[in-house]
Amino acid sequence: SEPAARGQSRADTDPPPAGAMPLLHRKPFERKRPPADLRPDEHFFYCRVTNEIFRDYDEFFERTILCNSLVWSCAITGKAGLTYQEAVESEKKARRNIQNFPEPLIGPVLYLAGRTRRARLHEVCDDVHAYLHNRFFVGETVEVLRNSGARLQCMILEVKPPPKENGMMNGHTQSPPAVATETIVISDSDEEPDTPKASARNGKRPTAIDPSLFKYKVKPVQQERYESVTVKACQISRKPTLFSRERLKLFLKLHCELHNGVQRPKATSVIKYKVCEKSFSEAFPDDPPAFASSLPTPQRKPPKSRVVVSPLVSPVVSPMDAFVSRPVIGVDQYYAAMEREKLLALREEMQAMAYEKAKLQRAQFDVMEAARRREREEREREREELRKMMEEERLKKKEEKERQKMEREKEREKLREEKRKHAEYVKLWRKPREDLECDDLKELPAPTPVKTRLPPECFGDALMVLEFLHAFGELFDLQDEFPEGISLEVLEEALVGNNADGPLCELLFFFLTAIFEAMAEEEEEVAKDQIAEADTKDLTEALDEDADPTKTALSAVASLAAAWPQLHQGCSLKSLDLDSCTLSEILRLHILASGADVTTNNAKYRYQKRGGFDATDDAGMELRLNHPGLLKKLSTTSIYDLSPAEKLKILHALCGKLLTLVSTRDFIEDYMEILRQSKQEFRELKAEQNRRERGEAAAKIRKRKEEKLKEQEMKLKEI
């Protein structure tokens, strides 16, 4: 719609280039132009703040210090005591502040500023603001106070003046017609005629209409369903954020300048916003205001002569009178002419600058063309030299390859000869021959003597017992008897010494306790796993079909020895009190009773759990059969008084007894399984490592081949 087309928009209030630069000591600052003879390959110093270049470092340093000094001021707000960067930021902030200055007010503001007669900008601002404070113009967006108290954004479509009443026309009194006279007054004074006073002679100065009498036709901006209405001036107001005294002062400071002691709008602004092409009555139906003047009144000289010309007599006008009586040019017209002259001079200056710039560009182009020509020639020369070098390099590499090929052939021939000699040597070395005929014999290392009290023939057996205790001590709770462990010195003391409370007693306590506890556990398992009597009888008969009479007799003797404690002591052998005094007899009875646990009741258990264990497999029975004198001596002699060899035989028998137990067999099998798993894991890890090494070797070979291919491609490209 038409009202929407005439809506308010942001005014382009960007200042001209001359005002877009901070002021240095409150004077315009001009940047240094680039030198006309600047070469493309020349080095210079660049000032980022002012966008200038300097050949001399001292000038660059002085300009940098000047930019950081507090001698700059904002060209728009007039704020002083700033650095160059702060002044630029202040100007940008001021421009942003007036970017949304109402466009319908731009023309009237510039027009009213041109009618003022003030030397100071704030006085011009006061005059214009006082006039515009209660007057609103066509196309302006305002807030209308509705009857409900709400405010509505509306656009002014028309300004209606008050009606004519009692000889009043738009609030002005009609002046009586002036008396027509035929007298023409010609003044030859050098002073310009005072137009306002001359007009005052003919009538009174028109009085401005009260702004509250105007009415405004408005239409809402956003709500299209409302029709246009006419409201009073008291219902209309502007937004303070769009129009205020501060924003008006910034706007006038951008678009006004001091001309002949009077603040006038700039010619560029007048031309840009077409102020002269519009009439003030189009924006507001009232006579232009006549503002008061603050300029000093010049003293008038008395007129030199007055000529009264009668209407009946033709006046004789001299050349001087004709010059004096020419129409007087107004101040506004004179100012416009001066601005046109300035624009023409500026245009000529810009044309001269464009010519100089084109000349400089041509010179730079010639210099750059010569530089490019020299660069092309240099590249051609370098390319030719590179081609020659590549050819020489190719010949050298070819000769090097031939030489390397011959060397490799010699190396292969030498390697074949060495392999042949090595094969002959290996063939000769593999022939059987005497040890003394070998040529790689070495002297045996000097043995280290072991200082011990044991007889030499008993040393190996003692080490076997010590190794057994280290291997199976944890299984049979060796730390209960020997918290600090057992060593060769402790075992030596047990075998050589005869102290009843010595380590031998504790060692035998350990063996007998472990044997009795293990046998008790096996008896419990036999009782739990015993099958039906018929099945047991069948299995026993199957196992005893080829029973040896000797084994039967030995088992019977062992059974009698096992029953002796029950008959004479009233309890089993393992229930007797075991101490250092009863140790020898209990040990003797245990050896005599060895093999008594081999009965028909546990035949199946022995067959399944102990690998078909029988009486002759018992280490105690073996000791009884092989060394009967030892048991006979033990019946009259204490265990502590036996010789080291005899003690070792008894310890060997006890170790063998423990090795035939089910718990020991299970312990050994568990560790064998762990050993097999460890070996399998080791083989897998080794195979994985071999695969990884082969993969890495293959990757290295592949990478080496790729590098060679890349080198060959680069050489081909260079050629």
Side-chain angles (χ1 to χ4, degrees):
S1 62
E2 182 179 356
R6 295 187 299 171
Q8 182 181 8
S9 63
R10 289 190 175 186
D12 186 8
T13 58
D14 292 337
M21 185 67 63
L23 302 179
L24 176 61
H25 299 295
R26 298 190 179 276
K27 295 181 181 180
F29 170 71
E30 293 184 2
R31 283 198 293 254
K32 183 179 179 181
R33 298 180 181 275
D37 57 344
L38 186 65
R39 300 189 306 276
D41 56 346
E42 185 177 354
H43 294 274
F44 52 82
F45 300 96
Y46 175 63
C47 182
R48 296 180 181 272
V49 181
T50 59
N51 199 21
E52 295 176 300
I53 60 175
F54 301 90
R55 286 177 171 171
D56 187 14
Y57 176 76
D58 294 336
E59 295 180 2
F60 166 74
F61 182 75
E62 290 177 0
R63 180 54 52 87
T64 304
I65 296 298
L66 181 63
C67 291
N68 294 329
S69 302
L70 302 178
V71 295
W72 301 87
S73 58
C74 179
I76 300 177
T77 61
K79 185 177 180 181
L82 306 175
T83 63
Y84 182 88
Q85 191 66 27
E86 291 174 349
V88 172
E89 294 296 332
S90 178
E91 291 183 2
K92 291 181 180 179
K93 185 177 179 181
R95 292 194 197 98
R96 288 195 299 267
N97 191 21
I98 60 174
Q99 274 184 354
N100 56 350
F101 194 83
E103 185 178 1
L105 293 179
I106 294 177
V109 167
L110 294 177
Y111 180 82
L112 295 173
R115 294 188 62 85
T116 58
R117 297 293 184 271
R118 302 287 188 178
R120 296 183 179 181
L121 188 65
H122 70 89
E123 295 177 350
V124 177
C125 179
D126 293 340
D127 291 345
V128 176
H129 185 269
Y131 185 82
L132 296 178
H133 181 63
N134 294 324
R135 291 175 175 84
F136 307 94
F137 296 85
V138 176
E140 188 178 357
T141 301
V142 294
E143 290 183 346
V144 177
L145 182 64
R146 303 177 64 182
N147 296 331
S148 61
R151 293 186 178 273
L152 187 65
Q153 294 283 337
C154 297
M155 180 188 297
I156 298 177
L157 303 180
E158 183 183 356
V159 182
K160 297 182 179 181
K164 177 181 177 182
E165 294 180 1
N166 298 328
M168 298 289 292
M169 178 66 70
N170 294 340
H172 300 294
T173 58
Q174 291 184 352
S175 301
V179 179
T181 60
E182 299 296 336
T183 304
I184 301 175
V185 179
I186 301 176
S187 175
D188 58 354
S189 174
D190 294 336
E191 298 293 332
E192 293 182 358
D194 193 352
T195 305
K197 291 184 179 180
S199 61
R201 296 191 193 102
N202 297 328
K204 295 181 180 180
R205 178 182 297 177
T207 305
I209 304 175
D210 187 2
S212 62
L213 300 178
F214 286 91
K215 294 183 179 181
Y216 300 90
K217 184 179 180 180
V218 297
K219 184 177 182 180
V221 176
Q222 296 180 352
Q223 302 179 9
E224 298 295 339
R225 63 178 181 272
Y226 290 101
E227 298 293 335
S228 58
V229 295
T230 302
V231 296
K232 297 180 181 180
C234 60
Q235 296 179 261
I236 300 178
S237 63
R238 293 189 183 95
K239 281 188 176 181
T241 56
L242 295 178
F243 182 78
S244 62
R245 188 184 301 272
E246 290 75 15
R247 292 171 60 82
L248 178 61
K249 186 175 180 181
L250 288 177
F251 179 81
L252 292 175
K253 195 160 189 176
L254 279 176
H255 296 280
C256 292
E257 63 181 358
L258 195 64
H259 186 76
N260 293 334
V262 181
Q263 292 289 342
R264 291 295 183 185
K266 296 179 181 179
T268 54
S269 301
V270 173
I271 296 172
K272 180 177 181 180
Y273 297 109
K274 301 178 181 180
V275 178
C276 298
E277 298 178 4
K278 300 177 182 179
S279 175
F280 182 76
S281 59
E282 295 179 4
F284 196 81
D286 193 8
D287 293 337
F291 296 106
S293 175
S294 62
L295 301 176
T297 304
Q299 296 181 358
R300 291 185 172 274
K301 297 180 180 180
K304 293 182 179 180
S305 62
R306 286 182 180 270
V307 180
V308 179
V309 182
S310 173
L312 301 178
V313 180
S314 298
V316 179
V317 182
S318 64
M320 179 60 68
D321 295 336
F323 175 77
V324 172
S325 62
R326 74 185 189 281
V328 180
I329 300 176
V331 177
D332 293 340
Q333 296 177 358
Y334 173 76
Y335 174 69
M338 292 295 293
E339 290 297 332
R340 282 195 296 273
E341 292 178 2
K342 286 184 179 181
L343 290 175
L344 291 175
L346 181 61
R347 185 182 301 170
E348 292 177 358
E349 184 180 356
M350 292 178 65
Q351 290 177 355
M353 289 176 59
Y355 175 75
E356 292 293 334
K357 185 177 180 181
K359 184 178 179 181
L360 179 61
Q361 288 179 352
R362 284 196 300 271
Q364 291 178 352
F365 178 77
D366 295 339
V367 173
M368 292 175 64
E369 187 66 25
R372 282 196 292 268
R373 191 182 305 109
R374 289 194 300 271
E375 187 177 355
R376 283 196 299 270
E377 294 175 356
E378 187 69 23
R379 282 201 300 268
E380 289 293 336
R381 185 168 59 256
E382 291 179 356
R383 192 179 293 110
E384 186 65 25
E385 293 178 357
L386 182 61
R387 189 180 296 110
K388 292 180 180 179
M389 290 174 60
M390 291 296 296
E391 185 66 22
E392 294 176 358
E393 187 71 20
R394 187 177 63 81
L395 294 176
K396 288 181 180 179
K397 287 184 178 180
K398 186 176 180 180
E399 294 176 357
E400 183 68 20
K401 285 182 180 180
E402 293 293 335
R403 186 181 61 80
Q404 291 179 358
K405 185 177 180 181
M406 294 178 65
E407 289 181 356
R408 285 196 297 269
E409 189 65 28
K410 291 180 181 179
E411 289 290 335
R412 283 195 292 269
E413 186 66 27
K414 184 178 179 181
L415 186 61
R416 284 195 294 268
E417 183 66 22
E418 290 179 355
K419 286 183 178 180
R420 185 181 61 78
K421 291 181 179 180
H422 181 70
E424 293 178 357
Y425 175 77
V426 170
K427 184 178 179 181
L428 181 62
W429 182 79
R430 287 180 178 177
K431 289 182 179 180
R433 54 181 173 173
E434 295 293 335
D435 292 341
L436 296 178
E437 295 179 358
C438 296
D439 53 359
D440 57 348
L441 297 177
K442 295 182 180 179
E443 294 183 2
L444 294 176
T448 302
V450 179
K451 296 180 181 180
T452 178
R453 293 182 293 172
L454 294 174
E457 63 273 8
C458 299
F459 184 74
D461 295 336
L463 291 181
M464 190 280 293
V465 174
L466 186 63
E467 180 65 21
F468 174 83
L469 294 175
H470 278 289
F472 299 97
E474 183 180 357
L475 176 63
F476 298 109
D477 299 330
L478 179 64
Q479 65 273 11
D480 294 343
E481 299 293 338
F482 298 94
E484 297 180 358
I486 189 168
S487 62
L488 182 60
E489 290 78 8
V490 176
L491 183 61
E492 180 182 347
E493 179 63 26
L495 296 176
V496 176
N498 54 5
N499 187 7
D501 295 329
L504 179 61
C505 179
E506 296 178 358
L507 190 60
L508 292 175
F509 280 174
F510 162 72
F511 278 107
L512 292 177
T513 303
I515 291 172
F516 291 157
E517 290 178 356
M519 291 176 65
E521 292 177 0
E522 290 183 2
E523 289 176 0
E524 291 178 1
E525 291 182 4
V526 170
K528 291 179 182 179
D529 298 341
Q530 189 173 8
I531 58 176
E533 183 178 356
D535 297 339
T536 305
K537 185 176 180 181
D538 295 340
L539 181 60
T540 303
E541 291 176 355
L543 294 174
D544 292 343
E545 286 179 354
D546 53 350
D548 189 359
T550 304
K551 293 181 180 180
T552 304
L554 292 175
S555 297
V557 173
S559 298
L560 291 175
W564 191 89
Q566 188 71 32
L567 294 174
H568 298 279
Q569 302 292 336
C571 61
S572 61
L573 182 63
K574 56 179 172 289
S575 300
L576 295 175
D577 293 335
L578 186 62
D579 55 20
S580 59
C581 298
T582 61
L583 178 63
S584 299
E585 184 62 19
I586 292 175
L587 178 61
R588 186 182 69 84
L589 292 175
H590 171 68
I591 296 174
L592 289 175
S594 297
D597 55 344
V598 179
T599 62
T600 57
N601 294 332
N602 59 5
K604 183 178 179 181
Y605 179 81
R606 288 184 288 104
Y607 180 77
Q608 293 178 347
K609 301 290 185 177
R610 301 180 68 176
F613 180 82
D614 58 6
T616 57
D617 295 330
D618 196 310
M621 182 174 287
E622 184 179 357
L623 177 65
R624 188 180 67 190
L625 293 177
N626 295 334
H627 304 282
L630 179 59
L631 289 179
K632 187 176 181 180
K633 185 178 180 180
L634 192 61
S635 61
T636 58
T637 306
S638 174
I639 185 67
Y640 310 112
D641 296 332
L642 296 178
S643 64
E646 293 172 342
K647 293 177 182 178
L648 277 174
K649 290 177 183 179
I650 295 174
L651 292 177
H652 269 231
L654 296 176
C655 291
K657 182 69 174 179
L658 287 175
L659 287 174
T660 59
L661 297 176
V662 176
S663 57
T664 309
R665 292 169 61 90
D666 294 341
F667 181 78
I668 294 173
E669 289 178 358
D670 292 342
Y671 271 88
M672 289 299 295
E673 183 64 25
I674 294 173
L675 179 61
R676 283 193 295 271
Q677 292 179 0
S678 300
K679 288 182 178 180
Q680 181 65 23
E681 292 177 359
F682 175 73
R683 285 193 294 269
E684 292 177 357
L685 291 174
K686 192 172 182 180
E688 179 65 24
Q689 183 178 1
N690 293 336
R691 285 195 298 270
R692 186 169 59 253
E693 290 177 355
R694 287 195 298 270
E696 291 176 356
K700 288 181 180 179
I701 295 173
R702 186 166 54 254
K703 185 177 180 181
R704 196 179 300 114
K705 289 181 179 179
E706 291 177 357
E707 291 177 355
K708 288 183 179 180
L709 290 175
K710 288 182 180 179
E711 290 178 359
Q712 292 177 0
E713 291 178 358
M714 293 295 294
K715 291 176 182 178
L716 292 175
K717 289 181 180 179
E718 292 176 357
I719 294 174

